[in-house]
Amino acid sequence: MNSEESLWEAVRTLWMKYCGISDEYRMLRDRWLYLYKEVSIPTLPYLKNKENLTFDLLDNHIKELDQLFKDKFNLKRGVMEDYTKSLPLLRKSSLRDHSEIEVRFFDLSTYVGLLKLAFFQRTASSEISHVASGAPKSPERTIGNELFYLAADKCAKRYHECLNIPYGRWDNFITFAPPIGQGYFYGAFYHPSPYLELFHISMSEEQKYFVGSYLALAHEFGHGVLTKKTTTPEGDVITDKVNWYKLLFEIVWDGMFDSLNEFVGRRCEDCIITKYTDSKLSYFRQYEQFIADLFGFRVGGPNILSALWDISFGVTNELELIRNVALLEYIYAHSKRREIRGLIDRINDLLDRLDVVRAENNKLCPTHTNLSECITKIGGLWANIAMNVDKDIFSIIPNRNLGNLDLEGYDISSSIFSNFIKEEFKIKKSEETRLVDSLLSGIPCTDADPRHILHCYYEAYKKSKGEDRPSYPATIQSLAFNKYNKEEK
Amino acid sequence: MDGTAILISEKMKNEMSVNAPRIELTHHAIMWISTKGILEEHEEKVIDIIKEKLADKNLVFYGYCFGRFDLIIEFIEDSAKVASHYVCSLQEKIEKELSAALGKENVVCSSLTLACRVNPRGKDNSNKPVRTYTFLMPKSEGLDLNEITDFTCELNKDSSTKVELYWNSSSYSFILIGEGNVFTDVFNKILTFRKRMRNDFAESCTYVGLRWGETDESEEDIRAYTFVKLKDGFGELNLDKDSSIWQEQFKRLGWSDICLEAKGKTLKEIKSAILELRKNHDDILNTSTLLLSQKQEPENE
């Protein structure tokens, strides 16, 4: 087999897969739009405006891919592939051409999968209208749960409105996917697409059975603030973290070493926290989670932290706890003290529980000090550096070029973070009381800000021990049928 | 905000109840059971299991369903997750016992709707033979639930036929549950509701239940189409020994193989004829009946 034949085998295989997925997308798109009901609530959101919504971007993407296959390998949709006709181009093409197409195809495939999942989830109720024919098909707990998905869309839309996200558009639909890919309950994930300039947010499927977990959506949009599109030296188009975040992390990393220096000589080298310093990437990723939490809190309110702890309670992991402490410290600096009383009790409980787990695994602190001391110290450092850099980055690293920090065009004279926050979370005491009481009584509040509804649902949930619980039907109704108009407020 | 804030003052409760629509905190769990190839005696066994398992529940309704489901069970439960657990357990028990009785598995399948009353008025007392479930798809977010439930109250005045509005989580976000002694009366009430609320709801579909062991009353003939699915996927039925309610037999090109046109006085009569049909014809896999209202008369100008 010669070189062209070798390339041909791979390209042809990719082509066949692409043709299938591309037409699957086209069928799905048309079916989705056909089933969109103009005269009823949009359980299938309209994703086309002939300009820049999800279907428009995917349509363009397919055109680009069709053209690439044609330009690089003479493969055309309307005809069967032919080696001899492709040979002249195969001689000129390279592995690079195959890779470029494959990466773009990956974006398309991912989206087809997400759209398909959303489509199935949001049309389960269509079997209801088949009163006298067909077999039961809905795989959900109840015949249809479209209002849960619509409620998630409305919450996501509101969080999106409150943030200034530099890269990409939210694709306008939330999916609920099984957590299989991650190996644990991840809560929700944010997935940006480099070529489509879209991002998707999916929640882990079990989250739909607890409305309070929708608070995780605020955190995911926080990731959007930290993302940009870039091209590697090799010419690959990827999404990456913005430079100001990378710089912020370097400052934190240096600070951590300085802070942990006092533990050197105290036989802390065996400690799991100092061992993490072998893995800068772990800390980089966890710090990113903290910054996403921070933005989530700024637009979603302090119950973000309660929701986070309820999701990850079983994860007794030092790095997670550092992140949690950091967020608590940040919230402490930003909120009225009484609002976080319960949170302080909870973090102390989590730290105590971690100590018990470590003792069971014979991982006691070598210096026999309380582990909480270290975690609190580092968490506090994370939060303080974030706050200081936010307020005045140039006092810490003078003479840096804004463009190199991906901050060109932003006013950072008083705060970096504020550039990305359009609407801070605020709620009046009277509104909080009204909403909590309403949700406890089963009264939907479709006029309220979805952020407030979720916050108050969690407030009522935290206070209840089971019987006096907030009504999930009233909450879902308040969100799915939400009429909140920020222009009128 | 401390713990005392969740104790809602009576004054505030009264204010809220006067002005705002409310979704009841308890759930009506509606279990829809589909079967294939089982006879009347097996359906009786299913009902016995249900009555035993739900003995300590507020069992609102159990009986036949006309349509692609065969049986409906409706009970009240505070907690959604407790309700769904009961339904799943019931399904598992029914499947196990029917498998043992029939010598074949997977003949029964259940679906669930969790519904909550909107602006509940009075207790959930139900004993009428006919119970209908009309799923309603709302047109927009701007539904005035108070207006809708005020109208249902008006419809219910001085009538033995009642309707009440419920919420659920599907695209058909509301269900109008009706009950009465006469099917055509209940259906007329549903039509009156739909006509008045046509600006609020995009579409609707109705499932009809007949309470187990009860007979409904008749005021006018009820017409129906019974769709028959044959085990072989093709064939015809010799109806000589069957009920006189069967008017015509048609071959079908779709999911079902035969369509039988029926006319009966009551739902009970139609259901009895269907059960007899299944008993008389071993080649029937399942049946599904679409009830029709009376013929549409042109409106007077």
Side-chain angles (χ1 to χ4, degrees):
Chain A
M1 183 183 274
N2 62 34
S3 177
E4 289 84 18
E5 284 168 342
S6 168
L7 181 59
W8 174 246
E9 287 303 311
V11 165
R12 191 171 60 143
T13 310
L14 188 65
W15 172 245
M16 283 191 278
K17 293 175 190 173
Y18 165 71
C19 290
I21 292 292
S22 170
D23 288 347
E24 197 161 283
Y25 161 69
R26 289 154 78 187
M27 285 288 182
L28 174 57
R29 173 201 64 202
D30 291 347
R31 198 160 277 104
W32 183 299
L33 293 171
Y34 183 79
L35 290 177
Y36 171 77
K37 292 181 200 295
E38 283 176 10
V39 294
S40 67
I41 50 169
T43 48
L44 282 176
Y46 202 74
L47 299 179
K48 193 175 177 69
N49 68 354
K50 295 187 182 165
E51 201 179 304
N52 57 5
L53 288 184
T54 303
F55 285 161
D56 304 301
L57 298 180
L58 283 165
D59 290 347
N60 287 339
H61 196 63
I62 280 178
K63 280 186 190 144
E64 286 168 10
L65 272 162
D66 283 352
Q67 195 64 43
L68 273 171
F69 271 109
K70 184 178 166 211
D71 292 345
K72 302 288 181 189
F73 305 112
N74 201 25
L75 289 165
K76 299 170 195 168
R77 287 308 317 271
V79 297
M80 189 69 182
E81 61 271 15
D82 185 329
Y83 174 68
T84 49
K85 288 184 178 156
S86 294
L87 190 54
L89 284 174
L90 281 169
R91 286 191 177 121
K92 287 193 245 174
S93 294
S94 69
L95 188 63
R96 183 106 201 90
D97 296 317
H98 175 279
S99 301
E100 186 189 348
I101 291 175
E102 192 174 47
V103 170
R104 288 169 185 263
F105 175 37
F106 180 81
D107 262 1
L108 172 68
S109 294
T110 304
Y111 257 96
V112 172
L114 291 169
L115 285 165
K116 220 190 315 186
L117 178 63
F119 183 84
F120 280 130
Q121 287 175 339
R122 291 159 185 255
T123 55
S125 290
S126 61
E127 71 162 82
I128 291 175
S129 59
H130 298 280
V131 174
S133 67
K137 282 200 294 285
S138 169
E140 307 244 347
R141 182 181 73 161
T142 55
I143 292 178
N145 279 317
E146 284 82 354
L147 293 193
F148 283 89
Y149 307 129
L150 194 54
D153 286 351
K154 293 280 178 97
C155 294
K157 179 170 179 264
R158 188 68 189 113
Y159 290 131
H160 189 220
E161 281 170 358
C162 295
L163 286 168
N164 188 3
I165 293 179
Y167 169 72
R169 300 173 63 92
W170 173 52
D171 56 18
N172 280 330
F173 67 100
I174 300 291
T175 49
F176 287 77
I180 189 170
Q182 299 286 329
Y184 62 95
F185 288 121
Y186 56 82
F189 77 73
Y190 157 85
H191 172 82
S193 165
Y195 285 100
L196 286 164
E197 302 205 4
L198 283 176
F199 63 86
H200 184 71
I201 290 176
S202 185
M203 296 193 69
S204 185
E205 187 147 29
E206 76 289 345
Q207 301 277 61
K208 75 175 181 249
Y209 289 114
F210 176 56
V211 181
S213 57
Y214 287 19
L215 280 164
L217 292 168
H219 163 96
E220 298 310 322
F221 281 97
H223 281 290
V225 173
L226 305 177
T227 303
K228 67 173 182 180
K229 175 172 156 173
T230 189
T231 307
T232 67
E234 294 79 26
D236 295 322
V237 175
I238 60 168
T239 54
D240 195 8
K241 301 291 164 285
V242 289
N243 286 344
W244 65 259
Y245 168 74
K246 290 181 184 176
L247 176 66
L248 169 60
F249 175 72
E250 289 299 328
I251 297 170
V252 166
W253 185 249
D254 291 341
M256 276 177 56
F257 269 115
D258 292 342
S259 180
L260 290 172
N261 262 342
E262 68 177 272
F263 295 105
V264 170
R266 288 170 70 179
R267 292 179 291 120
C268 289
E269 289 80 11
D270 289 337
C271 176
I272 197 93
I273 290 180
T274 52
K275 275 212 169 100
Y276 270 125
T277 59
D278 294 337
S279 174
K280 192 173 176 182
L281 187 58
S282 299
Y283 272 100
F284 181 84
R285 286 180 175 151
Q286 200 62 250
Y287 196 75
E288 183 196 343
Q289 296 299 333
F290 160 60
I291 298 295
D293 288 339
L294 184 159
F295 282 106
F297 156 67
R298 294 283 292 265
V299 300
N303 278 330
I304 296 290
L305 190 47
S306 298
L308 178 65
W309 284 343
D310 286 334
I311 290 169
S312 61
F313 191 76
V315 181
T316 42
N317 167 305
E318 288 81 356
L319 230 53
E320 281 278 337
L321 278 173
I322 292 171
R323 166 196 172 184
N324 292 337
V325 167
L327 184 61
L328 182 60
E329 288 280 348
Y330 188 85
I331 294 175
Y332 184 80
H334 274 262
S335 304
K336 297 187 173 70
R337 303 297 181 257
R338 65 183 172 83
E339 287 173 358
I340 65 163
R341 254 200 315 256
L343 295 174
I344 293 172
D345 293 339
R346 203 124 190 245
I347 195 74
N348 285 332
D349 175 64
L350 283 169
L351 289 167
D352 289 343
R353 284 177 189 275
L354 179 60
D355 272 332
V356 167
V357 169
R358 283 162 61 92
E360 283 167 0
N361 294 327
N362 290 320
K363 280 185 186 169
L364 287 170
C365 183
T367 64
H368 301 289
T369 54
N370 195 334
L371 175 72
S372 339
E373 186 193 331
C374 292
I375 288 185
T376 309
K377 194 182 181 77
I378 299 172
L381 184 117
W382 281 20
N384 286 326
I385 291 180
M387 287 188 277
N388 291 338
V389 166
D390 176 36
K391 283 197 192 98
D392 191 359
I393 189 169
F394 293 124
S395 71
I396 300 167
I397 34 102
N399 305 322
R400 289 296 286 260
N401 184 305
L402 274 184
N404 292 344
L405 295 176
D406 297 318
L407 286 171
E408 209 167 74
Y410 293 106
D411 173 12
I412 62 168
S413 55
S414 59
S415 162
I416 296 176
F417 298 162
S418 298
N419 285 281
F420 304 105
I421 297 167
K422 288 185 195 166
E423 280 183 66
E424 294 270 359
F425 178 87
K426 277 183 205 140
I427 183 168
K428 289 184 185 160
K429 197 69 203 154
S430 55
E431 175 72 348
E432 190 178 74
T433 306
R434 174 182 88 95
L435 289 178
V436 167
D437 291 347
S438 295
L439 296 180
L440 283 170
S441 302
I443 296 174
C445 306
T446 53
D447 57 324
D449 186 334
R451 301 181 298 162
H452 291 174
I453 294 168
L454 274 185
H455 167 82
C456 292
Y457 178 88
Y458 225 99
E459 278 298 302
Y461 172 71
K462 282 187 313 191
K463 302 286 190 304
S464 77
K465 293 291 176 282
E467 292 305 315
D468 285 328
R469 62 201 184 284
S471 158
Y472 86 83
T475 308
I476 291 292
Q477 177 73 5
S478 302
L479 294 169
F481 283 71
N482 196 266
K483 295 177 290 191
Y484 175 78
N485 185 338
K486 62 182 181 142
E487 305 303 330
E488 288 174 4
K489 304 295 170 183
Chain B
M1 187 176 174
D2 58 32
T4 54
I6 63 169
L7 295 174
I8 307 160
S9 69
E10 280 305 308
K11 183 169 180 284
M12 192 179 283
K13 263 190 209 167
N14 289 336
E15 280 171 5
M16 287 196 292
S17 63
V18 164
N19 298 321
R22 189 170 81 86
I23 299 176
E24 194 174 42
L25 297 177
T26 55
H27 295 79
H28 282 238
I30 308 166
M31 182 181 178
W32 315 87
I33 300 181
S34 310
T35 65
K36 48 184 181 183
I38 76 170
L39 299 174
E40 189 175 358
E41 69 231 45
H42 302 121
E43 286 178 344
E44 285 171 359
K45 193 172 181 56
V46 171
I47 295 295
D48 287 342
I49 294 169
I50 287 159
K51 282 157 70 177
E52 185 203 325
K53 272 287 250 197
L54 297 179
D56 59 345
K57 295 287 172 199
N58 183 347
L59 195 45
V60 174
F61 177 88
Y62 58 93
Y64 291 111
C65 179
F66 290 86
R68 64 194 174 98
F69 300 117
D70 296 291
L71 298 169
I72 304 174
I73 294 108
E74 182 185 342
F75 64 93
I76 295 175
E77 172 56 59
D78 281 349
S79 161
K81 54 190 174 305
V82 170
S84 64
H85 165 70
Y86 264 86
V87 167
C88 293
S89 303
L90 257 178
Q91 158 66 21
E92 285 157 5
K93 187 153 170 69
I94 291 168
E95 163 59 30
K96 189 175 170 189
E97 301 224 359
L98 281 185
S99 302
L102 290 167
K104 53 182 173 174
E105 293 180 332
N106 307 318
V107 295
V108 107
C109 172
S110 302
S111 304
L112 172 63
T113 298
L114 288 169
C116 304
R117 285 199 296 173
V118 179
N119 286 344
R121 288 163 170 95
K123 292 193 173 190
D124 292 312
N125 280 331
S126 174
N127 56 6
K128 302 280 192 288
V130 179
R131 195 160 173 89
T132 59
Y133 302 83
T134 300
F135 283 84
L136 300 157
M137 181 181 287
K139 275 187 178 174
S140 72
E141 290 94 341
L143 282 187
D144 184 339
L145 294 178
N146 281 343
E147 185 197 338
I148 297 172
T149 51
D150 284 347
F151 182 59
T152 58
C153 281
E154 202 182 302
L155 283 176
N156 291 342
K157 249 188 234 173
D158 306 321
S159 171
S160 61
T161 304
K162 307 277 182 218
V163 290
E164 202 160 14
L165 189 71
Y166 289 72
W167 176 94
N168 80 102
S169 62
S170 73
S171 304
Y172 294 85
S173 319
F174 296 94
I175 309 174
L176 188 76
I177 297 185
E179 56 171 17
N181 296 314
V182 184
F183 167 65
T184 46
D185 279 355
V186 179
F187 199 72
N188 282 338
K189 196 152 270 186
I190 295 168
L191 288 178
T192 306
F193 177 90
R194 282 295 282 125
K195 193 170 175 182
R196 170 74 172 262
M197 297 293 153
R198 66 197 303 165
N199 290 334
D200 292 305
F201 297 107
E203 48 179 279
S204 66
C205 42
T206 301
Y207 290 82
V208 180
L210 176 66
R211 193 175 292 273
W212 191 265
E214 298 284 333
T215 303
D216 54 315
E217 294 163 23
S218 172
E219 281 186 7
E220 36 193 301
D221 287 341
I222 303 170
R223 290 175 185 272
Y225 289 125
T226 294
F227 302 105
V228 178
K229 196 161 177 68
L230 299 172
K231 287 176 186 168
D232 273 349
F234 185 79
E236 52 192 67
L237 299 172
N238 182 337
L239 299 173
D240 289 348
K241 291 181 183 158
D242 289 290
S243 165
S244 59
I245 72 157
W246 306 116
Q247 310 293 298
E248 298 273 2
Q249 180 173 168
F250 299 93
K251 286 273 173 30
R252 284 211 73 219
L253 299 170
W255 177 81
S256 53
D257 306 300
I258 292 171
C259 173
L260 299 175
E261 193 182 319
K263 186 167 84 169
K265 292 279 176 217
T266 62
L267 292 179
K268 178 77 175 180
E269 186 185 2
I270 294 175
K271 195 64 187 180
S272 299
I274 294 167
L275 292 171
E276 184 190 53
L277 184 79
R278 284 202 222 141
K279 193 171 172 184
N280 290 345
H281 300 272
D282 196 44
D283 47 352
I284 290 178
L285 179 63
N286 55 32
T287 59
S288 177
T289 297
L290 181 67
L291 297 171
L292 307 170
S293 68
Q294 65 278 30
K295 274 190 191 164
Q296 193 73 40
E297 298 293 340
E299 285 184 7
N300 293 327
E301 297 206 7

